[in-house]
Amino acid sequence: MAEIDHVIAQWISYYLPYLLASLLLLWVLKMKGSDLRHRWFAFLMHYINKDMDPKIEELKKDFFSSLSSITSHDPELRKKKGIKILEIGVGTGVNFQYYPDGSHLIVVDPNPHFAKYYDENRKKFPNIHSEEILITTGEEMTGVADSSVDVVVVTLVLCSVGDAHQILKNVVRVLVPGGKLYILEHIKEFNPDKYWIRSVLQEFLSVSGIWPFLFDGCCLNRDFHSALDSAGFSKVEAEKFYAPLTKLLFLMIKPHLKAIAVK
Ligand SMILES: C[S@@+](CC[C@H](N)C(=O)[O-])C[C@H]1O[C@@H](n2cnc3c(N)ncnc32)[C@H](O)[C@@H]1O
């Protein structure tokens, strides 16, 4: 058995009671209204993001490094060497540190309970002109004009959306010609022969609804590579890889896809 599968088996034996207790707690919360689940998820993301793994920071730094070589379509931003960025599913705002100074950031998220964490975070980055969260989904976001942004950023969002195709269509709509989408997502196991336990667990936890229930709709069994290819971009550079996540809880989301797509 591959080493990773052994660790996953250990994970199950350690964490199953906690998982069941959490499910019970969430079920009670659900009885009191789905708003509490959104509140819980915003708090959870805030808690998880407080001490981000330095290896993930390194990975993101490298992934977003080419943002600084993009020239904005907006003459005012060009003077400041900034760019106009739309981030879909911004959550607590974990990507500020990778954006070029002088940039203008528009953000979209359907969960209003992220606003207080996002507002706390954006105060730390006065060199970026960040707008308040537009409370809407990436499928809708009618408030974002056609051909109006240089870059769209999507990180760990498509796993929980209703219609990833519609979001990608909207991304193409709002990007200026030549604009770029930066996307980093966890996906379903892409080497199921080797990591079959993870593959089976991803399927079980998603289809049973356990994982989506705990993590606000997140599914472990999705892949977005073909959706990206058919979304209407002129060029897509995508790579599947294992994220350097070390915490046991994150073993289920190690398989990742990173891509830069050009309109
Ligand atoms: C796992 S969090 C990731 C947050 C942040 N992008 C990050 O990398 O930490 C998923 C985010 O996607 C948002 N989300 C869920 N469904 C969405 C949708 N249909 N459109 C846009 N955002 C959505 C959630 O509210 C949440 O903020």
Side-chain angles (χ1 to χ4, degrees), residues 87-255:
E87 185 169 342
I88 299 176
V90 70
T92 60
V94 286
N95 295 323
F96 276 106
Q97 57 179 308
Y98 312 108
Y99 297 153
D101 279 353
S103 292
H104 179 172
L105 180 66
I106 305 168
V107 300
V108 161
D109 201 295
N111 182 346
H113 300 295
F114 275 111
K116 68 175 174 193
Y117 304 114
Y118 165 80
D119 285 340
E120 250 171 51
N121 245 335
R122 70 185 177 127
K123 276 191 212 138
K124 298 177 202 155
F125 296 87
N127 293 340
I128 294 169
H129 172 61
S130 50
E131 294 192 7
E132 281 180 20
I133 299 186
L134 290 169
I135 306 295
T136 181
T137 62
E139 290 91 335
E140 289 175 23
M141 55 177 201
T142 45
V144 185
D146 295 359
S147 303
S148 63
V149 298
D150 300 302
V151 164
V152 176
V153 170
V154 179
T155 61
L156 306 181
V157 175
L158 296 188
C159 54
S160 52
V161 304
D163 188 345
H165 287 271
Q166 181 55 36
I167 292 185
L168 292 172
K169 256 174 77 178
N170 258 340
V171 170
V172 175
R173 175 180 71 75
V174 301
L175 277 173
V176 294
K180 290 182 178 170
L181 164 68
Y182 284 67
I183 184 164
L184 184 64
E185 291 286 334
H186 69 81
I187 55 170
K188 73 179 199 184
E189 177 55 62
F190 49 85
N191 194 349
D193 291 340
K194 187 166 180 193
Y195 300 122
W196 65 270
I197 292 190
R198 171 156 49 217
S199 176
V200 169
L201 277 175
Q202 283 184 331
E203 205 56 35
F204 168 72
L205 290 170
S206 303
V207 173
S208 64
I210 293 174
W211 197 272
F213 184 66
L214 284 173
F215 301 110
D216 203 25
C218 172
C219 293
L220 299 162
N221 58 350
R222 293 186 178 175
D223 191 350
F224 313 102
H225 201 164
S226 59
L228 265 179
D229 281 339
S230 60
F233 293 100
S234 64
K235 185 175 162 201
V236 176
E237 276 176 10
E239 187 193 333
K240 290 180 181 175
F241 67 103
Y242 291 104
L245 293 161
T246 47
K247 289 184 184 150
L248 279 176
L249 179 67
F250 298 139
L251 286 180
M252 285 296 133
I253 59 165
K254 264 182 97 74

